[in-house]
Amino acid sequence: MDDGTLLDQVSDYYHERLGQSKAALAYLASRGLDDEALVKKFRVGYADRTLGLRLPHNNRKEGAAIRSRLQEVGIYRESGHEHFNGSLVFPIVNGTGHVGEIYARKITKKLRKGTPDHLYLPGPHHGIFNPDALKNRDLILCESVLDALTFIRHGMENATCIYGTQGFTDELFTAIKAANLDAV
């Protein structure tokens, strides 16, 4: 199983879990992003520390192998904990149509000191959020996934984003250039 397929499966699991979390749904509502079609289209999910319960036990060969793969791609930390625990998760597709990156946003204010609100998979960023935005002549380029979703929620589907203030990737630059777009 390649990384994209594995990340697709994890994203699908987190998407299923979203409906089980009143806190995650309330956070989406507080941001005006509680639209069922939007959540479904972008496979918004929630990491609630239950992924390990769906896996074979760690003391089994298969369980140890899958946990090792999840650690390699950044879903699990070295400690064995889920990297995105307590976060809304937003999968970002790569050029092959598989999840190449995941953006996550913590939804609680009660975090240990130094815990970031915004998380990504470790390593370089891969993929473009809402690649369909590049099919439009005009492009709304936002700082974050949540900003882009806000535009999309209000009918401006030509919105995409970078990976935070320092996250304008060569991949996105090349895609914008190739599409000959006007960024606004």
Side-chain angles (χ1 to χ4, degrees):
M1 176 183 310
D2 67 16
D3 292 351
T5 304
L6 180 62
L7 292 175
D8 288 339
Q9 291 176 346
V10 169
S11 295
D12 288 344
Y13 178 73
Y14 287 155
H15 180 66
E16 290 173 18
R17 297 303 302 163
L18 176 65
Q20 306 304 310
S21 173
K22 290 180 183 178
L25 294 171
Y27 184 86
L28 283 173
S30 76
R31 299 290 300 250
L33 300 173
D34 55 337
D35 178 75
E36 190 175 322
L38 183 83
V39 167
K40 184 177 180 178
K41 178 180 180 179
F42 292 100
R43 295 166 53 199
V44 178
Y46 183 65
D48 61 358
R49 215 176 92 190
T50 62
L51 179 62
L53 300 175
R54 296 283 302 260
L55 303 174
H57 291 286
N58 197 25
N59 63 357
R60 306 270 191 259
K61 184 177 180 179
E62 185 182 8
I66 189 69
R67 282 172 171 77
S68 176
R69 288 287 302 126
L70 289 168
Q71 187 174 340
E72 287 172 21
V73 298
I75 296 296
Y76 274 14
R77 295 181 177 160
E78 280 187 35
S79 65
H81 295 100
E82 288 180 57
H83 179 57
F84 298 127
N85 183 43
S87 302
L88 283 167
V89 294
F90 305 86
I92 300 170
V93 297
N94 59 24
T96 65
H98 291 287
V99 176
E101 176 66 89
I102 296 176
Y103 163 71
R105 173 64 165 92
K106 294 284 187 183
I107 63 168
T108 182
K109 299 283 184 207
K110 299 175 186 175
L111 299 172
R112 282 186 309 215
K113 187 175 181 174
T115 301
D117 287 330
H118 309 274
L119 300 167
Y120 294 96
L121 292 173
H125 300 301
H126 298 286
I128 297 173
F129 180 76
N130 190 25
D132 289 342
L134 301 176
K135 296 176 183 174
N136 294 287
R137 178 73 184 135
D138 296 315
L139 178 68
I140 301 170
L141 186 59
C142 302
E143 178 187 350
S144 76
V145 168
L146 290 170
D147 297 337
L149 281 173
T150 300
F151 279 100
I152 295 165
R153 170 74 166 92
H154 294 284
M156 293 167 266
E157 297 196 14
N158 55 323
T160 189
C161 62
I162 59 175
Y163 295 95
T165 57
Q166 303 295 316
F168 189 79
T169 64
D170 290 339
E171 179 183 13
L172 181 57
F173 179 73
T174 301
I176 291 171
K177 211 169 147 182
N180 197 27
L181 301 172
D182 299 322
V184 291

